[in-house]
Amino acid sequence: MAKSSAPSRERIVAGAADMISRRGLSATSIRDLAKHAKAPLGSTYHYFPEGKQQLATEAVRYAGGAVARILRAELRAGGPVAGLQAFLGLWRGIVVESDFRAGCPVLAVSVEEPPADETPPALAAAAEAFEGWERLLAESLGERGVARDQAEGLAALIVASVEGATAMCRAKRGAQPLDQVAQQLEALIVGAIDRPA
């Protein structure tokens, strides 16, 4: 059976996530997203008949899910410090390998101004991704005896710090913000586990 030369839906979504991580959503057209994924515009509309917002939403879900899978595996295998190191390592790899041109597509969608009186589906998907990462971290901390409120607060701090440091790396054209945040967050995790509330 001959293979189809049409790009897969997943390849288009992955390409869109990468493009959004570089340019943001507002500065990217569906034509740009299709071109970046090396997909014909017709194939893109075939898979995403609702257009740019549908593709952006899927791209955010794809990125959020990919990060969650890595985070979940590391948390299960090695606990909160290993999860933190994997989370930081993922973003460090992305910013450094892209020569500080790419960041997090979930964050990119989150910082753009939504239309008045509307929550676009991509923004809702970004909130779900952040909440999912926080939940994984909080559960891992809780399994090590950290009280629920403290675990949830620390998980939110981890996600916010790493996302912010990723943006700072892009602006500063260097990985130092992630390295600095890594030291501080690791110390907080160890302290919380050693002295559960």
Side-chain angles (χ1 to χ4, degrees), residues 44-130:
T44 305
Y45 277 113
H46 169 75
Y47 288 121
F48 307 99
E50 295 170 33
K52 180 177 163 180
Q53 265 304 323
Q54 182 184 12
L55 178 52
T57 302
E58 290 298 317
V60 169
R61 287 185 182 136
Y62 171 85
V67 172
R69 283 188 294 280
I70 292 166
L71 191 54
R72 184 179 297 110
E74 291 298 325
L75 289 167
R76 284 184 180 156
V81 172
L84 171 68
Q85 291 169 345
F87 194 44
L88 287 157
L90 170 73
W91 296 119
R92 191 179 207 290
I94 288 169
V95 296
V96 170
E97 290 169 20
S98 69
D99 195 27
F100 305 97
R101 287 183 170 84
C104 176
V106 178
L107 178 64
V109 167
S110 302
V111 297
E112 296 197 13
E113 184 176 358
D117 302 323
E118 183 183 335
T119 301
L123 186 58
E128 290 169 12
F130 289 141

